[in-house]
Amino acid sequence: MEVRYFKEPSRFLNRDMEFKVYGQGGQPCIAFPCECGRFYDFENNGMVQAVAPLLEEGRLLLITVDSIDRESWNGEGPARPRIEMQERWHNYICEEIIPRALQLSAWNGRVLTAGCSLGALHAVNLYLRRPDLVRGAIGLSGIYSAAYFFDGYMDDLVYRNSPMDYMANMPADHSYIPLLRDQGKLILCAGQGAFENDALASTQELTHILRNLGVNVWKDIWGTDVVHDWPWWCKQLPYFLRNLLDTGN
């Protein structure tokens, strides 16, 4: 499997940002690490090895990116500067990483996103906000309300990054609804074991909101032995990725 490391300047974040690319081509999937994680966490925790057959078959190009959670979701200080940093990071992903992923993969279409824990929020938020750029997402053990991270603080940018809030208020005739309903696929998964209670409740609630809008979502709840940790995510990711890769562009 081909592995490439990049360190490139971001105009949105005004710093160099690191990421790794696994595979030679195929459908690009942008992968987000856990809370405060780094771009190498997927590799170090077995996730890259778990999807190695898809990479080696040329069906998948995996791009693992850095978070800035310590400055945004998990930062200290006033909420507004932290959520402004999150929004700059969101723009970095949309305007810099996604075009780069398409260039590196020579893919003519939209990308996939995937993430676990807080990375699941990033993956799902990106898909729901920008289905014009993302055709499918996998959220593993995610919490999809910004209230969990901002202690109830709400403004325009927090709202924009809180899927359970903005999707609950999305008009049924919004232009993105057909993209989400007919041309995309969202997979939400949670276990019922240790440290999964909040993720399980959030997964259930977001699924209910989306289904009321007619949005295409596959909710998959795993057993009481499934805990909030990498070994289970290593089982889940290839299982769900195969499904997304088998459902077109």
Coordinates of all heavy atoms in Angstrom, one line a residue, residues 125-178:
N125 N -21.2 16.3 10.6 CA -21.4 17.7 10.4 C -21.0 18.2 9.0 O -21.8 18.9 8.3 CB -20.7 18.5 11.4 CG -21.0 20.0 11.4 OD1 -22.1 20.4 11.3 ND2 -19.9 20.8 11.5
L126 N -19.9 17.7 8.5 CA -19.4 18.1 7.2 C -20.4 17.5 6.1 O -20.7 18.3 5.2 CB -18.0 17.5 6.9 CG -17.3 18.0 5.7 CD1 -17.1 19.5 5.7 CD2 -16.0 17.2 5.5
Y127 N -20.8 16.3 6.3 CA -21.8 15.7 5.3 C -23.1 16.5 5.3 O -23.6 16.8 4.2 CB -22.0 14.3 5.7 CG -23.1 13.6 4.9 CD1 -23.0 13.4 3.5 CD2 -24.3 13.2 5.5 CE1 -24.1 12.8 2.8 CE2 -25.4 12.7 4.8 CZ -25.2 12.4 3.5 OH -26.3 11.9 2.8
L128 N -23.7 16.8 6.5 CA -25.0 17.4 6.5 C -24.9 18.9 6.1 O -25.9 19.4 5.5 CB -25.6 17.3 7.9 CG -25.9 15.9 8.4 CD1 -26.3 15.9 9.8 CD2 -27.0 15.3 7.5
R129 N -23.8 19.5 6.3 CA -23.7 20.9 5.9 C -23.3 21.1 4.4 O -23.7 22.0 3.8 CB -22.6 21.6 6.7 CG -23.0 22.0 8.1 CD -21.9 22.8 8.9 NE -21.7 24.1 8.2 CZ -20.8 25.0 8.7 NH1 -20.1 24.7 9.8 NH2 -20.6 26.1 8.1
R130 N -22.5 20.1 3.9 CA -22.1 20.2 2.5 C -22.3 18.9 1.7 O -21.3 18.3 1.3 CB -20.6 20.6 2.5 CG -20.3 22.0 3.1 CD -20.9 23.1 2.4 NE -20.7 23.1 1.0 CZ -19.7 23.8 0.4 NH1 -18.8 24.5 1.2 NH2 -19.5 23.8 -0.9
P131 N -23.5 18.5 1.5 CA -23.8 17.3 0.7 C -23.4 17.6 -0.8 O -23.4 16.6 -1.5 CB -25.3 17.0 0.9 CG -25.8 18.4 1.2 CD -24.8 19.1 2.1
D132 N -23.2 18.8 -1.1 CA -22.7 19.1 -2.5 C -21.2 18.6 -2.6 O -20.8 18.4 -3.8 CB -22.8 20.5 -2.8 CG -22.1 21.5 -1.8 OD1 -22.1 21.2 -0.6 OD2 -21.5 22.5 -2.2
L133 N -20.5 18.5 -1.5 CA -19.1 18.1 -1.5 C -18.9 16.6 -1.0 O -17.9 16.0 -1.4 CB -18.2 19.0 -0.7 CG -18.2 20.5 -1.0 CD1 -17.3 21.2 0.0 CD2 -17.6 20.6 -2.4
V134 N -19.8 16.2 -0.2 CA -19.7 14.9 0.5 C -20.9 14.0 0.1 O -22.1 14.4 0.4 CB -19.6 15.0 2.0 CG1 -19.4 13.7 2.7 CG2 -18.5 16.0 2.3
R135 N -20.7 12.8 -0.4 CA -21.8 11.9 -0.8 C -22.2 10.9 0.3 O -23.2 10.3 0.2 CB -21.5 11.2 -2.0 CG -20.6 10.0 -1.9 CD -20.6 9.1 -3.2 NE -19.8 8.0 -3.1 CZ -20.2 6.8 -2.6 NH1 -21.4 6.7 -2.2 NH2 -19.4 5.8 -2.6
G136 N -21.4 10.7 1.3 CA -21.7 9.8 2.4 C -20.8 10.0 3.6 O -19.7 10.5 3.4
A137 N -21.3 9.6 4.7 CA -20.5 9.7 6.0 C -20.8 8.6 6.9 O -21.9 8.0 6.9 CB -20.9 11.0 6.7
I138 N -19.7 8.2 7.7 CA -19.8 7.2 8.7 C -19.5 7.9 10.1 O -18.4 8.4 10.3 CB -18.8 6.1 8.5 CG1 -19.1 5.4 7.1 CG2 -18.9 5.0 9.6 CD1 -18.0 4.4 6.7
G139 N -20.4 7.8 11.0 CA -20.2 8.4 12.3 C -20.3 7.2 13.3 O -21.3 6.6 13.5
L140 N -19.1 7.0 14.0 CA -19.0 5.9 14.9 C -18.9 6.5 16.3 O -18.0 7.2 16.6 CB -17.7 5.1 14.6 CG -17.6 4.5 13.2 CD1 -16.3 3.8 13.0 CD2 -18.8 3.6 12.9
S141 N -19.9 6.2 17.2 CA -19.9 6.6 18.6 C -19.8 8.1 18.7 O -19.0 8.6 19.5 CB -18.7 5.9 19.3 OG -18.7 4.5 19.2
G142 N -20.6 8.8 18.0 CA -20.6 10.2 18.0 C -21.6 10.9 18.9 O -22.7 10.3 19.2
I143 N -21.4 12.1 19.2 CA -22.4 13.0 19.9 C -22.6 14.2 19.0 O -21.6 14.9 18.7 CB -21.9 13.4 21.3 CG1 -21.8 12.2 22.2 CG2 -22.8 14.5 21.9 CD1 -21.1 12.5 23.6
Y144 N -23.8 14.4 18.6 CA -24.1 15.3 17.5 C -24.7 16.6 17.9 O -25.3 17.3 17.1 CB -24.9 14.6 16.4 CG -24.2 13.3 16.0 CD1 -24.7 12.1 16.4 CD2 -23.1 13.3 15.2 CE1 -24.0 10.9 16.1 CE2 -22.4 12.2 14.8 CZ -22.9 11.0 15.3 OH -22.2 9.8 14.9
S145 N -24.6 17.0 19.1 CA -25.1 18.3 19.6 C -23.9 19.1 20.2 O -23.1 18.6 21.0 CB -26.1 18.1 20.7 OG -26.4 19.3 21.4
A146 N -23.8 20.3 19.8 CA -22.7 21.2 20.3 C -22.9 21.5 21.7 O -21.9 21.9 22.4 CB -22.6 22.5 19.4
A147 N -24.1 21.4 22.2 CA -24.4 21.7 23.7 C -23.5 20.9 24.6 O -23.1 21.3 25.7 CB -25.8 21.5 24.0
Y148 N -23.2 19.7 24.2 CA -22.3 18.8 25.0 C -20.9 19.4 25.2 O -20.3 19.1 26.2 CB -22.2 17.4 24.3 CG -21.5 16.3 25.0 CD1 -22.3 15.5 25.9 CD2 -20.2 16.1 24.9 CE1 -21.7 14.5 26.6 CE2 -19.6 15.1 25.6 CZ -20.3 14.3 26.5 OH -19.7 13.3 27.2
F149 N -20.5 20.2 24.3 CA -19.1 20.7 24.3 C -19.1 22.2 24.7 O -18.0 22.7 25.2 CB -18.4 20.5 22.9 CG -18.4 19.1 22.5 CD1 -19.4 18.6 21.7 CD2 -17.4 18.3 22.9 CE1 -19.4 17.3 21.2 CE2 -17.3 17.0 22.5 CZ -18.3 16.5 21.6
F150 N -20.2 22.9 24.6 CA -20.2 24.4 24.8 C -21.1 24.7 26.0 O -21.4 25.9 26.2 CB -20.5 25.1 23.6 CG -19.4 25.2 22.6 CD1 -19.3 24.3 21.6 CD2 -18.5 26.2 22.6 CE1 -18.3 24.3 20.6 CE2 -17.5 26.3 21.7 CZ -17.4 25.4 20.7
D151 N -21.4 23.8 26.8 CA -22.2 24.0 28.1 C -23.4 24.9 27.8 O -23.7 25.8 28.6 CB -21.3 24.7 29.1 CG -20.1 23.8 29.5 OD1 -20.3 22.6 29.6 OD2 -19.0 24.3 29.7
G152 N -24.1 24.6 26.8 CA -25.3 25.3 26.5 C -25.2 26.6 25.8 O -26.2 27.2 25.4
Y153 N -24.0 27.1 25.6 CA -23.8 28.4 24.9 C -24.2 28.2 23.4 O -23.9 27.1 22.8 CB -22.3 28.8 24.9 CG -22.0 30.0 24.0 CD1 -22.3 31.3 24.4 CD2 -21.4 29.7 22.8 CE1 -22.0 32.3 23.6 CE2 -21.1 30.8 21.9 CZ -21.4 32.1 22.3 OH -21.1 33.2 21.5
M154 N -24.9 29.2 22.9 CA -25.4 29.1 21.5 C -25.2 30.4 20.8 O -25.6 31.4 21.3 CB -26.8 28.6 21.4 CG -27.4 28.4 20.0 SD -26.5 27.2 19.0 CE -27.0 25.7 19.9
D155 N -24.7 30.4 19.6 CA -24.7 31.6 18.7 C -24.8 31.0 17.3 O -25.0 29.8 17.1 CB -23.5 32.5 18.9 CG -22.1 31.8 18.6 OD1 -22.1 30.8 17.9 OD2 -21.1 32.3 19.1
D156 N -24.6 31.9 16.3 CA -24.8 31.5 14.9 C -23.8 30.4 14.5 O -24.2 29.4 13.8 CB -24.7 32.7 14.0 CG -23.3 33.4 14.0 OD1 -22.8 33.5 15.2 OD2 -22.8 33.8 13.0
L157 N -22.5 30.5 14.9 CA -21.6 29.5 14.5 C -21.7 28.2 15.3 O -21.5 27.1 14.7 CB -20.1 30.0 14.7 CG -19.8 31.2 13.8 CD1 -18.3 31.6 14.0 CD2 -20.0 30.8 12.3
V158 N -22.0 28.2 16.6 CA -22.3 27.0 17.3 C -23.4 26.3 16.7 O -23.4 25.0 16.5 CB -22.5 27.3 18.8 CG1 -22.9 26.0 19.5 CG2 -21.3 27.9 19.4
Y159 N -24.5 27.0 16.4 CA -25.7 26.4 15.7 C -25.3 25.7 14.4 O -25.7 24.6 14.1 CB -26.7 27.5 15.5 CG -28.0 27.1 14.8 CD1 -29.0 26.6 15.6 CD2 -28.1 27.2 13.4 CE1 -30.2 26.2 14.9 CE2 -29.3 26.8 12.8 CZ -30.3 26.3 13.6 OH -31.5 25.9 13.0
R160 N -24.4 26.4 13.6 CA -24.0 25.9 12.3 C -23.2 24.6 12.5 O -23.1 23.8 11.5 CB -23.2 26.9 11.6 CG -23.1 26.8 10.1 CD -22.3 27.9 9.5 NE -22.9 29.2 9.7 CZ -22.4 30.4 9.5 NH1 -21.1 30.4 9.0 NH2 -23.0 31.5 9.7
N161 N -22.7 24.3 13.6 CA -21.9 23.1 13.9 C -22.5 22.1 14.8 O -21.8 21.3 15.4 CB -20.5 23.5 14.4 CG -19.6 24.2 13.3 OD1 -19.1 23.5 12.5 ND2 -19.6 25.5 13.3
S162 N -23.8 22.2 15.0 CA -24.6 21.4 15.9 C -25.7 20.7 15.1 O -26.8 21.2 15.0 CB -25.2 22.2 17.0 OG -25.8 21.4 18.0
P163 N -25.4 19.5 14.5 CA -26.4 18.9 13.6 C -27.7 18.7 14.2 O -28.8 18.8 13.4 CB -25.7 17.5 13.2 CG -24.2 17.8 13.4 CD -24.1 18.8 14.5
M164 N -27.8 18.3 15.4 CA -29.2 18.1 16.0 C -30.0 19.3 16.0 O -31.2 19.3 16.0 CB -29.1 17.4 17.4 CG -28.6 16.0 17.3 SD -29.0 14.9 18.7 CE -28.4 15.8 20.1
D165 N -29.4 20.5 16.1 CA -30.1 21.8 16.1 C -30.5 22.2 14.7 O -31.7 22.4 14.4 CB -29.3 22.8 16.8 CG -29.1 22.6 18.3 OD1 -30.2 22.6 19.0 OD2 -28.0 22.5 18.8
Y166 N -29.5 22.3 13.8 CA -29.8 22.8 12.5 C -30.7 21.9 11.7 O -31.5 22.3 10.9 CB -28.6 23.4 11.7 CG -27.6 22.4 11.3 CD1 -27.8 21.5 10.3 CD2 -26.3 22.4 11.9 CE1 -26.7 20.6 9.9 CE2 -25.3 21.5 11.6 CZ -25.5 20.6 10.6 OH -24.5 19.8 10.2
M167 N -30.5 20.6 11.9 CA -31.3 19.6 11.1 C -32.8 19.6 11.6 O -33.7 19.4 10.9 CB -30.7 18.2 11.1 CG -29.4 18.1 10.3 SD -29.5 18.6 8.6 CE -30.8 17.6 7.9
A168 N -32.9 19.8 12.9 CA -34.3 19.8 13.5 C -35.1 21.0 13.0 O -36.3 21.0 12.9 CB -34.2 19.9 15.0
N169 N -34.4 22.1 12.5 CA -35.0 23.3 12.0 C -35.0 23.4 10.5 O -35.4 24.4 10.0 CB -34.4 24.5 12.7 CG -34.7 24.6 14.2 OD1 -35.8 24.3 14.6 ND2 -33.7 24.9 15.0
M170 N -34.4 22.5 9.8 CA -34.2 22.6 8.4 C -35.6 22.5 7.7 O -36.3 21.5 7.9 CB -33.3 21.5 7.8 CG -33.0 21.6 6.3 SD -31.7 20.6 5.7 CE -30.3 21.6 6.2
P171 N -35.9 23.4 6.8 CA -37.2 23.3 6.1 C -37.2 22.1 5.2 O -36.2 21.7 4.6 CB -37.2 24.6 5.2 CG -36.2 25.5 5.9 CD -35.2 24.6 6.5
A172 N -38.3 21.5 5.1 CA -38.4 20.2 4.2 C -38.2 20.5 2.8 O -37.9 19.6 2.0 CB -39.8 19.6 4.4
D173 N -38.3 21.8 2.3 CA -38.0 22.1 0.9 C -36.6 22.7 0.7 O -36.4 23.3 -0.3 CB -39.1 23.1 0.4 CG -39.1 24.4 1.2 OD1 -38.4 24.5 2.2 OD2 -39.9 25.3 0.7
H174 N -35.7 22.6 1.7 CA -34.4 23.1 1.5 C -33.7 22.3 0.4 O -33.9 21.1 0.1 CB -33.6 22.8 2.8 CG -32.3 23.5 2.9 ND1 -31.1 23.1 2.2 CD2 -31.9 24.7 3.5 CE1 -30.1 24.0 2.4 NE2 -30.6 24.9 3.2
S175 N -32.9 23.1 -0.4 CA -32.2 22.5 -1.6 C -31.3 21.3 -1.3 O -31.0 20.5 -2.2 CB -31.5 23.6 -2.3 OG -30.4 24.1 -1.5
Y176 N -30.9 21.2 0.0 CA -30.0 20.1 0.3 C -30.7 18.8 0.6 O -30.1 17.7 0.6 CB -29.1 20.4 1.5 CG -27.9 21.3 1.2 CD1 -27.1 21.8 2.2 CD2 -27.5 21.5 -0.1 CE1 -25.9 22.5 1.9 CE2 -26.4 22.3 -0.4 CZ -25.6 22.8 0.6 OH -24.5 23.5 0.3
I177 N -32.0 18.9 0.9 CA -32.8 17.7 1.2 C -32.7 16.6 0.1 O -32.5 15.4 0.4 CB -34.2 18.0 1.6 CG1 -34.2 18.9 2.9 CG2 -35.1 16.8 1.8 CD1 -33.7 18.1 4.1
P178 N -32.9 17.0 -1.1 CA -32.8 15.9 -2.2 C -31.5 15.3 -2.2 O -31.4 14.1 -2.5 CB -33.2 16.7 -3.5 CG -34.0 17.9 -3.0 CD -33.4 18.3 -1.7

